[in-house]
């Protein structure tokens, strides 16, 4: 830990010093960025920067450097600000820099010819939706390991009791109780967070007449955490909606921002300056929420995140490749263990476990015209009722860094907003449950669906889900038109019979064991796993997804021959669709073993398990008879 | 009556009240020069009671769209900084060298140049609809002035591209200093107008409204450099505010002596006079609202149009202020081009705070609106939103067009991820280009359909939907709907009550939205009959008639339909005809130019190629694929260019070839006593041939085009209209829903049945079942119950018998 951390504690000082040196040579801006990038490149230095995700806002110093792991939920209109301005006081008439700040200091000489107008854009960012509690916790703990540069020291009392011991003393069993998992709130610093979000909101409801509860516009219901208005200065075009980013920026919580928010201070002014009355109260609330609730962050540096698994090195540097190659050796054995674990979870069904594993590492790796390649939507049919699916989700949640369970009951389908919609009154994109980060596991629980009437919004929701599965895209509703946003979401559908939604692959579950008490059974399975073991699984799943993959010419030939042969035997049963699926299965199967090229063997295996699965579905069909 | 023509710059109009309350200028500029032409048209120049003609007599109307121009004194560039007193004195002398402060605009030259432009500009190649009815070889704007004198609407719209081609320097000044230049233009045009038409009476003086400034086209590209410049952007109106009365001139009256004074509002502020000039009482003046002058103002929110946006980002919005008669000109949902001045206003200073937000509010003061979609409502247009192609791009496209295999190249570039089906892709390619639009409204026939409609039927899982998705993504005005989820209103249009204004609003559906584009309808067979019925009109007449809630109208829906249908029995039954397989009414089927079957060919060589294609899809890198196929963007531009600029016509040989082709088609059937082609087929052939000529960028339809059209048409027919019983192509399958052989057989059975009944002698009633058994026993061919029933029905039609329940009675 170096002695001087001015660049973290007083980044604006650094910026201003550079501005003063520059003599209005515009190159200083690039220099600032260069400097901070350089500082962050240093080993471990990025972990000194306190994270907005972990540390409650009121413990962070205003105008210090913070980082924020988030999803770009909405992009507001660009705004012009005073990049350089002159103070009005004639005695100290100096040029000042307005970049990375929300408010100007001292009076501004509006008529000065030295004023430089510059452009920036505001992004509305929320914490990554559906981030699993374990991912939050681990990143929180790793942040706490180094001494944070804030006054906030995460003390033990703040967290719940047993968890600490588990995490610190590694190879010990996770104490896993169902009650804990059901409450999906982060245990780590849950208490303090809750205080943070609830206290101010109760204040706002009481005195103010116009503001109802401030809607932070999280994509998923029941989410917590700080939302943030990020001011972006450079590379505006490189950011896209729904990008996951780690943003390093200067925190601004100036109370002035809040004062300006509420209109009607002086009604007489409104007549003459209509610009202000033009904004509806809704719009003001959405765009200028109180800084104490939604802090502003002036971006200095942003890193796109490939994944949000804290167990993996996030930066694509040398130590990542070292990490990967070291893990590759273990891959096959970890896979075997994970498979055994999943087999237990899926009541002894090895084939279903194999497919679930493939599903968990699937990823849309490219698009050909409109066709997304690599998606692998799995439909697990024949799931036992009585909250089995709920438990299954909890286990999936323990394995992947991001997930969401959508219980497809009639009520939720009719009432929930899945597709984001533009609210023109508040001029913002109202989020929906399908606005998710890449590689989020979406768990659709169709066992919850009962007979009844879907209303028009229910039909629209089902259509949206169907589109998501078939094309990996969501059509956002812009009222006058729709806009297509590509996405990359792993969809797992659990159902009793065949799902009403399309899927790439349907596996009927064939339980080998019928435990008398399902909850107890699953709890014991989970209890039997060491935390270190679970962590290995987590790393494995995230890593397998990122590997490169190719097919040699020779194997291509073999695959082609094989396909022709299969068609010769029975042209009805094997279609292009099947080849598509088998190619994906072969790819995922190879990757799951850590192989980056398809071998002939791998192809045969893929064919084999696909045949097993098909014979099983056919069996199911003849059993049920009337199923289409 | 005044005669103001020919005066110099310091000409002044109307009576001015002095403005002692003017805030002193902080900058180095001069005190406002009262005689400056910039003062032209300020509100105080309203003259009451003077005769209403001539420049002086016609009241000037304020231009709030240009903002306050008071702080724009003229300076002499060569003697900066000018001394305050010297400038006024030397004004006359300096004359021509004077420019408006902060600009390089000299009022005199500027005015002269603009008058010259108005008097001389001729645009023979003009095809704007505003210029309809004008003589293109005469000076355009002089004709427009004449129009103003007749119509009395004192607005002159000036196309900036005309100004640019006439005088680039003037154009640059107009773009850079609109606030100064436009009033000069106003002055110039009024002088010119009243010189020409001294007796005409106008409501107010003519205002110049420039449009089509080429500087900016996209909302996204607005940046701080555009502030206070004239810009044109396109976008869609999403919200309009109520009308706001904005004070232009405050009227103060002294409470003591009733002396009154007027104060102009400057940038939203009124400088309230503290002292009455008449009686010297301090703070005695009160604002009288009734006598203050207000102007109309409206806030409009405009959103970037979806075509302009990069993928993965949300659309930007901009606030626009409309003034005076531009208020309520646009409605939410309109697509418009806005020309206006881009403004940035600092957040208002708060005297109690030293720290202010360092953000500017931006908006556009609109000068001119131009709706881009309004033309859809009236008649013909040549693609309203003409896409601009750069020289290089056109060169690339032309080069591509000159290649002999361009047709094959383009068709293989279409949806490369979908394998083979070459003819189908070619068909869709021709659909994308479309035929030539012909107008026969003079002869009472109306428009001829130029759009090609295509139906794809085939086994599930033959990537029909994927093809549809691709086409939908390729064309700018594509709509994609699924037959299952769409209702008749969703496709056509519906009337809705606007919750805010309580106005009835016509909301257009997929077919109208895809006017000039392609409407892709998936799962065509799942569509309900009532929904399908609306397609009849669209697919032949290309219009949609609506009579709902007091709104009766006919909308254009010149859309091509690309539909996909699955066979009724999940698998295509080769033993049945197309109609039997997909169960669609033949009236609708005959409106499709091409009907393709997408079947699984079940052949080894095909399988191999398919496998190769699919595997390649999964392992080839992005670059490799791109090398093999044309870029989607090039294809897009190619199609857009051809659709806009190429209008092929039939040449002599081609017409002969078409006639022959048609006669041949008729001949095939006539030998067997059936009709194998109808005029609709001939029209289809013409459309296809024209589209093929467009692919070649050729202005003439030649024999090769007809050959290809014939081939494709035959291919499609071979697939869809082959009678499975005889193996012949029989167009009546599509036109009447039944093949000629099937009809013949039906007649035979009926005859046999009649004969049998007659042979039985006089039996007034028979048992249904027994009759059926008898007939079966008698006939050599197997007779199904369906056939028997059909025969009964045929006889019933002849009034020979009736069927009641299980008994058959003779009549």
């Amino acid at each position: 830990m170096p002695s001087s951390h001015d660049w973290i504690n007083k980044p604006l000082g650094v910026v201003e010093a550079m501005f003063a040196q520059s003599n209005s040579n515009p190159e200083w801006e690039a220099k600032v960025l260069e400097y901070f990038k350089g500082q962050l490149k240093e080993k471990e230095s990025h972990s000194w920067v306190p994270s907005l995700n972990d540390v409650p806002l009121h413990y962070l110093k205003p105008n210090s450097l913070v980082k924020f792991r988030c999803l770009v939920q909405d992009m507001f209109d660009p705004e012009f600000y005073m990049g350089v301005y002159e103070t009005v006081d004639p005695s100290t008439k100096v040029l000042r820099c307005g970049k990375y700040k929300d408010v100007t200091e001292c009076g501004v000489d509006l008529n000065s010819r030295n004023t430089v107008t510059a452009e920036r854009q505001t992004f509305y960012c929320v914490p990554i939706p559906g981030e699993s509690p374990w991912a939050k916790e681990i990143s929180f703990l790793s942040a706490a390991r180094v001494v944070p540069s804030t006054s906030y020291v995460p003390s033990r009392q703040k967290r719940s009791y047993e968890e600490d011991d588990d995490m610190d003393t590694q190879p010990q069993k996770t104490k896993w109780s169902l009650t804990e998992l059901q409450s999906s709130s982060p245990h780590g610093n849950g208490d303090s967070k809750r205080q943070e979000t609830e206290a101010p909101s109760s204040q706002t409801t009481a005195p103010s007449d116009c503001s109802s509860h401030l809607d932070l516009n999280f994509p998923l219901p029941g989410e917590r955490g700080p939302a943030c208005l990020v001011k972006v200065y450079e590379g505006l075009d490189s950011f896209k909606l729904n990008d996951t980013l780690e943003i390093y920026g200067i925190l601004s919580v100036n109370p002035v921002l809040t004062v300006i928010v509420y209109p009607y201070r002086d009604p007489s002014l409104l007549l003459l300056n209509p610009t202000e009355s033009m904004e509806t109260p809704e719009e003001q609330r959405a765009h200028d929420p109180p800084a104490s609730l939604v802090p502003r962050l002036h971006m200095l540096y942003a890193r796109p995140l490939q994944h949000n698994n804290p167990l993996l090195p996030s930066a694509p540097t040398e130590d990542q490749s070292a990490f990967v190659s070291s893990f590759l050796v273990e891959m096959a054995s970890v896979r075997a263990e994970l498979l055994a674990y999943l087999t237990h979870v899926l009541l002894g069904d090895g084939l279903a476990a194999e497919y679930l594993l493939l599903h968990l590492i699937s990823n849309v790796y490219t698009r050909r015209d409109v066709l997304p390649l690599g998606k692998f939507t799995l439909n697990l049919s024949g799931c036992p009722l009585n909250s089995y699916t709920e438990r299954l989700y909890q286990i999936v949640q323990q394995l992947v860094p991001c997930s969401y369970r959508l219980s497809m009951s009639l009520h939720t389908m009719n009432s929930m907003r899945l597709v984001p919609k533009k609210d023109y009154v508040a001029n913002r994109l109202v989020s929906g449950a399908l606005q998710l980060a890449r590689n989020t596991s979406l768990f659709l629980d169709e066992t919850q669906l009962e007979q009844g009437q879907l209303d028009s919004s229910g039909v629209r929701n089902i259509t949206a889900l169907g589109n998501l599965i078939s094309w990996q895209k969501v059509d956002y509703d812009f009222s006058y038109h729709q806009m297509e946003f590509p996405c990359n979401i792993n969809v797992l559908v659990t159902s009793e019979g065949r799902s009403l939604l399309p899927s790439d692959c349907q596996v009927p579950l064939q339980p080998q064991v019928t435990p008398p008490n399902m909850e107890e059974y699953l709890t014991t399975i989970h209890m039997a796993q060491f935390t270190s073991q679970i962590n290995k699984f987590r790393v494995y799943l995230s890593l397998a997804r990122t590997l490169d993959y190719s097919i040699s010419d020779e194997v291509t030939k073999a695959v082609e021959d094989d396909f022709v042969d299969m068609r010769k035997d029975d042209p009805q049963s094997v279609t292009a669709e099947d080849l598509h699926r088998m190619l994906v299965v072969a790819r995922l199967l190879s990757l799951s073993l850590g192989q980056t090229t398809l071998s002939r063997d791998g192809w045969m295996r893929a064919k084999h398990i696909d045949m097993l699965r098909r014979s099983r579905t056919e069996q199911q069909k003849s059993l049920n008879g009337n199923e289409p | 009556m005044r005669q103001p023509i020919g005066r110099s710059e310091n000409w002044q109009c109307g009576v001015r009240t002095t403005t002692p309350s003017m805030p002193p200028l902080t900058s180095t500029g001069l005190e406002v020069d009262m005689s400056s032409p910039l003062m032209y048209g300020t509100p105080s120049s309203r003259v009451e009671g003077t005769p209403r003609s001539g420049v002086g007599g016609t009241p000037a109307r304020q231009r709030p769209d240009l903002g306050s121009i008071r702080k724009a004194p003229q300076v002499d560039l060569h003697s900066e900084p000018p001394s305050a007193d010297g400038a006024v004195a030397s004004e006359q002398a300096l004359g021509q060298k004077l420019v408006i402060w902060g600009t390089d605009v000299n009022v005199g030259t500027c005015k002269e140049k603009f008058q010259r432009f108005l008097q001389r500009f001729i645009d023979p190649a003009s095809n704007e609809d505003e210029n309809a009815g004008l003589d293109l070889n005469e000076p355009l704007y002089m004709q427009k002035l004449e129009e103003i004198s007749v119509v009395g609407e004192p607005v002159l719209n000036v196309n900036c591209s005309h100004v640019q081609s006439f005088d680039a320097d003037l154009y640059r000044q107009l773009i850079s200093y609109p606030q100064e230049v436009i009033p000069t233009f106003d002055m110039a045009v009024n002088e010119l107008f009243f010189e020409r038409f001294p007796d005409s009476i106008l409501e107010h003086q003519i205002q110049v409204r420039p449009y089509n400034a080429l500087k900016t086209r996209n909302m996204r590209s607005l940046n701080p450099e555009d502030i206070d410049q004239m810009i044109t952007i396109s976008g869609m109106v999403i919200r309009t505010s109520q009308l706001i009365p904005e004070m232009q001139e405050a009227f103060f009256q002294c409470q003591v002596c009733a002396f009154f004074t007027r104060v102009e509002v400057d940038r939203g502020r009124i400088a309230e006079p503290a002292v009455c000039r008449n009686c010297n009482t301090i703070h005695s003046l009160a604002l009288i609202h009734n006598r203050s002058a207000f102007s109309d103002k409206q806030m409009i929110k405009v959103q970037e149009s979806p075509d302009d946006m990069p993928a993965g980002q949300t659309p930007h919005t901009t606030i626009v202020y409309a003034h005076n008669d531009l208020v309520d000109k646009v409605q939410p949902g309109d697509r418009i081009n806005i020309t206006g001045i881009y403004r940035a206003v600092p957040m208002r200073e708060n005297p109690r705070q030293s720290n202010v937000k360092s953000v500017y509010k931006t908006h556009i003061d609109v000068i001119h609106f131009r709706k881009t979609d309004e033309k859809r409502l009236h008649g013909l247009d040549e693609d309203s939103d003409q896409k601009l192609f750069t020289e290089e791009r056109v060169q690339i496209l032309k080069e591509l067009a000159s290649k002999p295999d361009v047709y094959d190249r383009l068709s293989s570039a279409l949806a490369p991820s979908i394998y083979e089906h070459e003819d189908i892709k070619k068909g869709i390619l021709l659909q994308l280009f479309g035929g030539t639009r012909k107008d026969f409204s003079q002869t009472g026939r109306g428009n001829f359909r130029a759009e090609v409609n295509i139906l794809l039927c085939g086994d599930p899982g033959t990537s029909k939907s994927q093809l549809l998705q691709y086409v939908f993504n390729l064309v700018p005005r594509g709509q994609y709907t699924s037959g299952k989820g769409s209702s008749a209103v969703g496709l056509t249009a519906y009337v809705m009550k606007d919750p805010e204004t309580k106005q009835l609003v016509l909301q257009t559906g997929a077919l109208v939205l895809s006017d000039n584009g392609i409407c892709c309808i998936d799962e065509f067979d799942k569509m309900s009959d009532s929904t399908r019925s609306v397609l009849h009109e669209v697919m032949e007449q290309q219009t949609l008639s609506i009579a709902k809630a007091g709104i009766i109208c006919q909308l254009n829906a010149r859309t091509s339909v690309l539909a996909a249908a699955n066979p009724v029995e999940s698998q295509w039954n080769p033993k049945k005809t197309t109609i039997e397989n997909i169960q669609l009414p033949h009236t609708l089927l005959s409106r499709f130019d091409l009907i393709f079957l997408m079947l699984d060919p079940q052949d080894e060589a095909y399988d191999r190629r398919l496998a190769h294609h699919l595997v390649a899809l999964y392992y080839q890198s992005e670059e490799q694929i791109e090398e093999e196929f044309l870029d989607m963007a090039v294809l897009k531009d190619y199609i857009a260019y051809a659709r806009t600029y190429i209008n092929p016509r039939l040449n002599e040989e081609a017409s002969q070839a078409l006639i022959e082709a048609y006669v041949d088609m008729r001949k095939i059937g006539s030998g067997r006593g059936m009709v194998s082609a109808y005029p609709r087929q001939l029209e289809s052939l013409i459309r296809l041939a024209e589209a093929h000529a467009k692919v070649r960028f050729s202005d003439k339809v030649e024999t090769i085009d007809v050959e290809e059209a014939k081939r494709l048409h035959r291919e499609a027919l071979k697939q869809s209209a082959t009678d499975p019983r005889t193996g012949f192509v029989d167009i009546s399958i599509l036109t009447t829903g039944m093949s000629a052989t099937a009809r013949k057989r039906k007649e035979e059975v009926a005859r046999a049945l009649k004969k049998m009944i007659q042979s039985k002698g006089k039996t007034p009633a028979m048992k249904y079942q027994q009759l059926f058994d008898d007939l079966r026993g008698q006939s050599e061919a197997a007779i199904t119950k369906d056939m028997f029933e059909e025969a009964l029905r045929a006889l019933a039609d002849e009034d020979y018998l009736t069927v009641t329940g299980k008994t058959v009675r003779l009549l």
Side-chain angles (χ1 to χ4, degrees), chain A residues 442 542 559:
Chain A
L442 181 62
S542 296
V559 171

Side-chain angles (χ1 to χ4, degrees), chain A residues 32-52:
Chain A
V32 168
L33 294 179
E34 219 28 58
Y35 171 80
F36 281 100
K37 219 170 164 182
Q39 289 289 350
L40 286 166
K41 240 187 212 133
E42 262 175 52
K43 210 167 162 282
E44 281 229 308
S45 59
H46 58 261
S47 58
W48 299 330
V49 180
S51 165
L52 209 53

Side-chain angles (χ1 to χ4, degrees), chain A residues 73-108:
Chain A
Q73 193 270 324
D74 195 2
M75 296 163 135
F76 295 155
D77 294 330
E79 61 187 19
F80 293 168
Y81 67 100
M82 289 173 236
V84 177
Y85 59 90
E86 205 164 16
T87 51
V88 80
D89 190 0
S91 59
T92 59
K93 212 166 172 69
V94 279
L95 285 181
R96 315 228 18 177
C97 157
K99 209 174 173 184
Y100 307 117
K101 283 178 212 158
D102 281 311
V103 291
T104 55
E105 288 139 17
C106 323
V108 178

Side-chain angles (χ1 to χ4, degrees), chain A residues 77 80 104 239 370 560-561, chain B residues 313 317 356 360 473 608 612:
Chain A
D77 294 330
F80 293 168
T104 55
F239 299 105
V370 289
E560 285 169 29
D561 288 343
Chain B
Q313 303 208 346
T317 55
V356 289
Y360 294 99
N473 281 313
R608 180 167 297 279
H612 182 76

Side-chain angles (χ1 to χ4, degrees), chain A residues 238-378:
Chain A
S238 62
F239 299 105
K240 291 204 160 80
L241 200 70
N242 303 342
D243 273 353
T244 44
L245 303 170
E246 185 159 61
I247 294 170
Y248 292 85
I250 300 169
L251 183 74
S252 161
V253 285
N254 200 320
V256 175
L257 297 169
T258 321
V259 178
I260 294 178
V261 166
Y262 296 102
Y264 317 129
R265 282 162 297 158
D266 194 350
S268 67
L269 292 172
L270 287 179
L271 179 72
L272 293 175
N273 198 350
T275 359
E276 275 181 38
S277 62
M278 276 313 138
E279 281 187 352
T280 55
E282 289 91 347
E283 184 169 353
Q284 293 212 341
R285 223 176 312 151
H287 287 250
D288 295 307
S292 55
L293 273 183
V294 183
R296 317 293 194 263
L297 197 60
H298 295 266
M299 185 197 280
L300 281 166
Y301 172 64
R303 206 172 40 152
L305 292 177
Q306 295 301 313
H307 59 82
N308 64 326
N309 190 338
L311 295 166
L312 240 63
S314 45
T317 51
E318 308 86 60
D319 37 296
Q320 195 196 14
S321 50
F323 183 85
V324 171
S325 50
S326 72
F327 198 83
L328 273 180
V329 187
E330 277 189 277
M331 209 119 172
S333 68
V334 177
R335 181 187 197 274
E337 284 163 29
L338 179 57
L339 191 64
Y341 173 61
L342 289 177
T343 311
H344 277 300
V345 170
L346 294 172
L347 309 174
D349 188 343
L351 186 68
E354 184 97 38
Y355 270 97
L356 181 58
L357 193 151
L358 298 185
H359 162 76
L360 288 176
I361 62 168
S362 68
N363 174 31
V364 178
Y365 62 96
T366 185
R367 280 171 198 268
R368 286 285 131 81
D369 344 317
V370 289
L371 191 72
L373 296 182
K375 67 172 176 107
F376 193 64
T377 304
L378 183 64

Side-chain angles (χ1 to χ4, degrees), chain B residues 146-167:
Chain B
E146 206 173 313
E147 208 174 274
I148 291 174
S149 79
V150 175
V151 180
E153 195 185 340
V155 170
L156 180 69
N157 296 326
V158 174
N159 190 336
C160 292
S161 65
H162 292 167
V163 180
Q164 191 185 23
S165 64
F166 189 81
D167 185 340

Side-chain angles (χ1 to χ4, degrees), chain A residues 527-565:
Chain A
M527 293 277 273
Q529 298 296 323
F530 290 107
T531 316
S532 61
Q533 194 69 21
I534 292 271
N535 276 347
K536 257 189 198 164
F537 294 162
R538 292 165 178 168
V539 173
Y540 167 80
L541 288 176
S542 296
L543 199 66
R545 177 176 283 158
T546 59
L547 296 177
D548 288 328
Y549 175 75
S550 64
I551 308 177
S552 69
D553 286 348
E554 187 196 342
V555 180
T556 310
K557 190 89 189 66
V559 171
E560 285 169 29
D561 288 343
D562 227 25
F563 179 70
V564 174
D565 286 347

